[in-house]
Amino acid sequence: MKIAPSIVSADLTCLENVIEILEKNGIDLYHVDVMDGHFVPNITVGPDFIKNLRKLTELPIESHLMITNPEKYVKRFMEAGSDMITLHSELSSSKDILKNLMDVKRGIAINPSTPAEILNDYYGIVDYVLIMSVNPGFSGQKFIPDVIPKLIRAREIFGEKIEISIDGGINSETVKFVKNYVDIICSASGIFSGNIEENLKKLRLNSIP
Ligand code: ZN
């Protein structure tokens, strides 16, 4: 199981130190939650943040774009150094954008209220699926257990060809509910609230299937 810290929830005043601790403790990639204050009711970071993060790490960087017009910005996120681009299935433009992306891993995200069947539209197009287990917008929300059947459905649709990622409310307790169904766990407050090193150790221990 890969661990993907949602890095914008870290203390960004000491990003270099945080990265050192994360990588010493064996994280696998960085998940960057990009919010525009329109598609979701919160604002976070843009391509410049990716550019800076790129200078500090060699691990893969995933840009999870929770923005209304991804077609306008996706190229900038790629040029800034993203290795993975995640778009939302709730936007009708996502399919065509993903189809035309080259040289990055392509992912489709699905909100808790969106039916899993929409994922059929992305068969053969994406490298991974990101199942939202909270309504996107803010970190620190409670995990929604109703999304577990969606993890199973996603695997039925895509088989082993793709990776399944879960994003929202994942910590060392809630990871137990999803560990058998996912390949990647994204975690924000589950890693950054309290002691990062201890949180990661517990998360890793409890994520063993
Ligand atoms: Zn995310």
Side-chain angles (χ1 to χ4, degrees), residues 88-151:
H88 266 266
S89 59
E90 293 76 20
L91 291 172
S92 56
S93 58
S94 293
K95 193 173 163 184
D96 281 336
I97 301 169
L98 287 169
K99 261 192 199 165
N100 293 310
L101 288 190
M102 302 289 163
D103 306 320
V104 280
K105 282 176 109 182
R106 299 171 286 185
I108 190 69
I110 174 166
N111 283 342
S113 58
T114 304
E117 295 316 309
I118 200 166
L119 295 173
N120 284 300
D121 292 353
Y122 293 88
Y123 186 86
I125 294 175
V126 294
D127 302 292
Y128 62 97
V129 169
L130 184 132
I131 309 279
M132 293 295 308
S133 39
V134 300
N135 288 305
F138 295 92
S139 78
Q141 296 185 71
K142 243 179 125 205
F143 174 75
I144 302 171
D146 291 353
V147 305
I148 292 171
K150 210 179 272 183
L151 298 171

Side-chain angles (χ1 to χ4, degrees), residues 142-143 168-179 203:
K142 243 179 125 205
F143 174 75
I170 298 295
N171 55 40
S172 59
E173 286 308 308
T174 52
V175 73
K176 295 173 186 169
F177 304 123
V178 299
K179 64 181 179 181
L203 198 60

Side-chain angles (χ1 to χ4, degrees), residues 7 16 27 46 62 75 83 92 109 114 130 146-147 162 199:
I7 192 70
E16 256 184 285
I27 63 139
E62 173 192 4
K75 207 168 156 228
D83 304 281
S92 56
T114 304
L130 184 132
D146 291 353
V147 305
I162 59 148
N199 289 338

Side-chain angles (χ1 to χ4, degrees), residues 6 31-33 64 66 130 132 167 186:
S6 173
H31 180 91
V32 181
D33 283 313
H64 176 193
M66 289 168 270
L130 184 132
M132 293 295 308
D167 185 10
C186 306

